[in-house]
Amino acid sequence: MSQASPALTADTFTTVSPEPMLLGESPLWHAEEAALYWIDIPGKAVHKRVLATLQHQRWDMPEEPGSIVKHAQGGLVVALRSGMFHLNTGNGALTALLEAPYDMARIRFNDGRCDASGRFWCGTIYEPRDRDGGTLYCFERNALRDAHHAVVTSNGVAFSPDQRLMYHANTPAHRINVHDYDLATGQTSNCRLLRQFDSDKTAPDYGGRPDGAAVDSEGAYWCAMFEGGRVLRLSPQGEILQEIRVPARCPTMVAFGGKDLRTLFITTGRNGRSEAELAQYPLSGHVLAIRVEVAGRLEYSYRP
């Protein structure tokens, strides 16, 4: 594990997105295309940016996308409110793969990631937010299985480099759990707390709540702290190894990319934020990039 390093300053950031998102999420580096994909949830769109040429594409969605992953046969899997879909990024065709199994008036798909066997782990958000009405699903061979990880808002799904650990955050609870993971069977066990954050939003030192995340090549867990204006690098034991201050109060998720996987991409949100906050953080809603010392890992694709 690398030693803790001081916080990086905002002037080291670059802006990737040509315009701000309402709520940017699910950044996804596509190494073969040297491009970054991401989504705008309330904006109902999937975006792509080729970094070398600044070529930008946008695909409008019929409803909110919660997350995206690469499809092994090309294009993307998009978790929309109504179910799982394949997006052909060549011609823009959207093909239904599976219908959502929940009450779409109150629940939608949210954060997700693939494991090394090509399973797409995708959680849900329970929008009334009055109980743990969300869960974590495993989308495997075009079938959906409930892993029964009860949450209000499922976020931060990530795997250790050896695939023996699964991380999973319940954002409103300010909590990140870690599970033992059996890659052969796709089963989780031995759930325990990785880190509990202070939930007192009135505290002057309130640091936000855990949102989307990614694991680097050394096994550290990088987590966007929504409303905390920072990204944390945590050890597998939950210790804070590094803090990066972000020039947006609401970072939502991180992804590693670039040729050496040492560029950290950070999606952020501006939807519902106050005019005073947006004046203080004018980059809110943009996708940001910063160089980091430790390389990340390539993301796996969904394999039907």
Side-chain angles (χ1 to χ4, degrees), residues 136-156:
L136 181 64
Y137 288 101
C138 177
F139 183 48
E140 181 179 12
R141 296 181 179 178
N142 292 335
L144 207 61
R145 168 170 56 87
D146 189 345
H148 300 290
H149 292 193
V151 293
V152 177
T153 303
S154 178
N155 268 311

Side-chain angles (χ1 to χ4, degrees), residues 232-246:
L232 297 179
R233 182 177 187 248
L234 304 178
S235 75
Q237 294 74 41
E239 304 165 306
I240 296 178
L241 301 174
Q242 183 179 353
E243 177 187 74
I244 297 177
R245 290 288 175 178
V246 180

Side-chain angles (χ1 to χ4, degrees), residues 50-107:
V50 180
L51 299 193
T53 64
L54 302 184
Q55 178 187 8
H56 189 87
Q57 288 180 268
R58 169 185 173 133
W59 296 271
D60 291 321
M61 296 288 110
E63 58 214 25
E64 306 98 320
S67 55
I68 53 175
V69 293
K70 295 187 296 181
H71 194 292
Q73 296 172 359
L76 303 174
V77 177
V78 185
L80 295 177
R81 181 181 288 271
S82 63
M84 296 292 182
F85 290 78
H86 175 256
L87 173 63
N88 184 321
T89 52
N91 61 19
L94 195 64
T95 305
L97 301 175
L98 179 140
E99 184 177 349
Y102 47 69
D103 178 3
M104 288 183 283
R106 300 193 297 171
I107 300 174

Side-chain angles (χ1 to χ4, degrees), residues 20-39:
M21 307 294 108
L22 293 173
L23 183 62
E25 266 283 7
S26 200
L28 174 67
W29 176 252
H30 197 301
E32 294 80 6
E33 299 177 0
L36 184 75
Y37 289 85
W38 69 88
I39 61 176

Side-chain angles (χ1 to χ4, degrees), residues 36-227:
L36 184 75
Y37 289 85
W38 69 88
I39 61 176
D40 185 349
I41 296 178
K44 300 179 182 178
V46 176
H47 293 262
K48 174 187 176 181
R49 187 83 161 175
V50 180
L51 299 193
T53 64
L54 302 184
Q55 178 187 8
H56 189 87
Q57 288 180 268
R58 169 185 173 133
W59 296 271
D60 291 321
M61 296 288 110
E63 58 214 25
E64 306 98 320
S67 55
I68 53 175
V69 293
K70 295 187 296 181
H71 194 292
Q73 296 172 359
L76 303 174
V77 177
V78 185
L80 295 177
R81 181 181 288 271
S82 63
M84 296 292 182
F85 290 78
H86 175 256
L87 173 63
N88 184 321
T89 52
N91 61 19
L94 195 64
T95 305
L97 301 175
L98 179 140
E99 184 177 349
Y102 47 69
D103 178 3
M104 288 183 283
R106 300 193 297 171
I107 300 174
R108 66 166 172 81
F109 280 123
N110 203 47
D111 174 277
R113 169 172 276 107
C114 288
D115 69 14
S117 289
R119 304 179 185 94
F120 180 18
W121 287 87
C122 187
T124 58
I125 175 173
Y126 181 69
E127 292 174 320
R129 293 180 171 86
D130 56 1
R131 63 180 177 88
D132 285 348
T135 190
L136 181 64
Y137 288 101
C138 177
F139 183 48
E140 181 179 12
R141 296 181 179 178
N142 292 335
L144 207 61
R145 168 170 56 87
D146 189 345
H148 300 290
H149 292 193
V151 293
V152 177
T153 303
S154 178
N155 268 311
V157 175
F159 298 90
S160 60
D162 62 7
Q163 301 283 293
R164 292 183 178 180
L165 298 175
M166 173 197 277
Y167 299 96
H168 186 210
N170 186 356
T171 298
H174 293 70
R175 182 175 66 245
I176 305 170
N177 288 332
V178 59
H179 306 253
D180 291 337
Y181 187 61
D182 186 334
L183 181 64
T185 63
Q187 297 294 324
T188 60
S189 62
N190 189 26
C191 176
R192 65 263 188 201
L193 180 69
L194 178 74
R195 191 173 184 95
Q196 178 71 55
F197 296 93
D198 186 0
S199 60
D200 183 3
K201 298 182 183 181
T202 65
D205 60 347
Y206 175 67
R209 51 196 186 272
D211 203 324
V215 170
D216 67 25
S217 57
E218 294 184 352
Y221 182 84
W222 294 70
C223 182
M225 298 297 292
F226 191 85
E227 289 189 331

